[in-house]
Amino acid sequence: MRLVSTAALVLLVSCHTPRYDVIIRHGNIYDGSGKPPVEEDIAISADTIAAIGDLGGAFAKTDIDAHGLAVAPGFINMLSWSVGSLIQDGRSQGDIRQGVTLEIFGEGDSQGPWNDSMKAEALHGQGDIKFPITWTTLGEYLDFITKKGISPNVASFVGATTVRQYVLGHANRDPSPAELTQMQDLVRAAMRDGALGVGSSLIYEPAFYAKTAELTALAKAAHEFGGIYISHMRDENDSVLPALDELIAISRASGAPAEIYHFKASGRANWGKVDEMVRRIEAARAEGLHITADMYTYPASATGLDASMPAWVQEGGLESWRKRMLDPAVRARVTREMHGFESSGGPAGVLLVGFKTDSLKYLTGKTLAAVAALRKKSAEETAMDLVIQDDSRIECVYFTMSEENVRREVALPWMSFGSDGESMAPEGVFLKSSTHPRSYGNFARLLGKYVRDEQVVPLEDAVRRLTSLPATNLGLDRRGALKPGYFADVVIFDPRRIADKATFEKPHQYAVGMVDVFVNGTQVLRDGEHTGAFPGRVVKKVVSGEQ
């Protein structure tokens, strides 16, 4: 009998033993399906999940022991405003440290298509973060930001406001048939570039000039390419139910699935309407319409002082708005018609968090009521003065929602999650302004407060609604699940420790409990610290079998 040398035997065994770039061993795998976890190993080769199961004899360049930890698909942020913060800092620290591997842009406004006047307006509106605008189309922006280098993947809707402004500027009128066709063609061009659908945000100028028929036409154009309609509805306060009916009608008439941005009922008088909102959505779903929603996990929203002022005073854009408010007669009328503070319980429920002008930044973190008292003016007059002085809408936090409703909404099976904020870092330019704590804690808060501590929803279902649910709704290719052949967007976290630390008083604080994060197979978080890697890509809607 011929004997094989020890060296030859080792070589023979190694030649037949699988070799991978990464193996994550003994983790509790939450695969995104909503099923209970299974303790298994996951192997990654290049940018792809190569194998799942018992990989005991396999070798890898990087071997991670995830015993006792949760292993899940990377989380999808359904509403991100990181379009500028990622230019400033591509690490996406605030979201990466919560496990977000895909940022979705495009709530009404998108980074293209832009004409020269829109570029000039965007440049004028830049605050602490400043950058040149070298792109024109949405596709060019997405290519620009990924070539610059970012840690997460990115994707975007094309903004209904953006295509309206491209064709009509700030005009308060309906588009002509030819103009509407032009707007639809702009949507079609963005869809060919990989947009996910068309997004609207209907409480802001000039978005609120768009009527249902216009929005339906844009949704139809997006749906030709499999896109969806997603909307910050026309009202989230007293008229929230008619606004919801409009969204459902647009979905029915266009054929496009529809999603509600940051599902809520604002103002104490409207808190009881959530049950009826849910009933209407579930009736539409039973009818065969694909209606879904997303939310952030806080009882306070964030927007600008424009959300509290009547539409007519804002017509023509920011400069026209500011000029009108210099007229005493206009100021008197605005004072009479400004009712937006009521849903926050008055000016004391409006927290000022973002100023453009350095000389006003000392007011950051004060309530509108406190600033009004400081200036010895009414809250309404103070709000108008601040917009004029800062040459901006002023970023604010509004305490408008019910914690009981937040828990009710977290439990809904068709609910995804979005921060509605930037991914920031507690350093440098980001510290020049305050922010809503959702920018640092939205996803960790879900997994810590509502899953572990309050047991509103089991962890496996929370993971499903952070991953496969939004990926399926958006029609993404090989994202949102842990399966062989899928892109290796993988997170490892400690369910016992994960928690948000950001508060309204001190929002610039990282969440804790996220251990490791991989984006397209590259490790961007190792033992809770950023690796400095920038593997982020543009994730596009699959059109005609291409991504």
Side-chain angles (χ1 to χ4, degrees), residues 75-82 92-104 259 261-264 293-302 401 403 406-407 409-410 415-424 435-452 457 459 462-463 465-467 470 498-504 506-512 514:
F75 302 155
I76 297 174
N77 185 349
M78 275 298 297
L79 175 47
S80 170
W81 279 107
S82 297
S92 189
Q93 290 265 37
D95 271 0
I96 285 291
R97 289 169 180 260
Q98 297 181 77
V100 172
T101 60
L102 174 57
E103 306 277 1
I104 308 291
E259 175 144 325
Y261 275 130
H262 42 61
F263 183 97
K264 68 172 78 72
D294 54 69
M295 65 177 292
Y296 43 80
T297 53
Y298 295 84
S301 62
M401 282 100 77
E403 176 62 34
V406 172
R407 286 194 293 270
E409 294 153 11
V410 162
M415 185 70 69
S416 298
F417 299 90
S419 69
D420 198 6
E422 298 175 292
S423 183
M424 311 168 79
T435 189
H436 192 298
R438 64 193 183 187
S439 290
Y440 287 92
N442 187 61
F443 307 95
R445 185 176 178 83
L446 169 68
L447 298 174
K449 176 179 172 64
Y450 294 107
V451 172
R452 180 191 59 237
V457 63
L459 180 54
V463 169
R465 294 191 286 118
L466 287 166
T467 59
I498 196 159
D500 61 308
K501 294 296 183 182
T503 65
F504 289 101
K506 296 181 178 180
H508 288 290
Q509 299 186 72
Y510 289 136
V512 297
M514 188 60 58

Side-chain angles (χ1 to χ4, degrees), residues 183-203:
M183 292 164 66
Q184 287 182 301
D185 286 342
L186 289 169
V187 169
R188 293 182 181 109
M191 293 301 298
R192 291 187 186 98
D193 279 348
L196 303 173
V198 64
S200 67
S201 189
L202 301 175
I203 71 166

Side-chain angles (χ1 to χ4, degrees), residues 458-476:
L459 180 54
E460 56 264 33
D461 192 50
V463 169
R464 177 186 69 86
R465 294 191 286 118
L466 287 166
T467 59
S468 67
L469 176 65
T472 301
N473 290 342
L474 297 171
L476 304 184

Side-chain angles (χ1 to χ4, degrees), residues 339-362:
H339 302 300
F341 305 141
E342 294 173 359
S343 63
S344 301
V350 181
L351 188 68
L352 306 175
V353 298
F355 293 89
K356 176 181 170 183
T357 306
D358 288 343
S359 62
L360 292 174
K361 286 186 181 294
Y362 75 100

Side-chain angles (χ1 to χ4, degrees), residues 52 69 112 127 134 158 262 271 287 290 298 341 351 374 376 383 432 444 452 508 531:
I52 300 177
L69 301 177
T134 59
V158 60
H262 42 61
W271 289 352
E287 175 191 331
H290 193 86
Y298 295 84
F341 305 141
L351 188 68
L374 190 67
K376 296 181 171 55
K432 289 187 174 183
R452 180 191 59 237
H508 288 290
T531 67

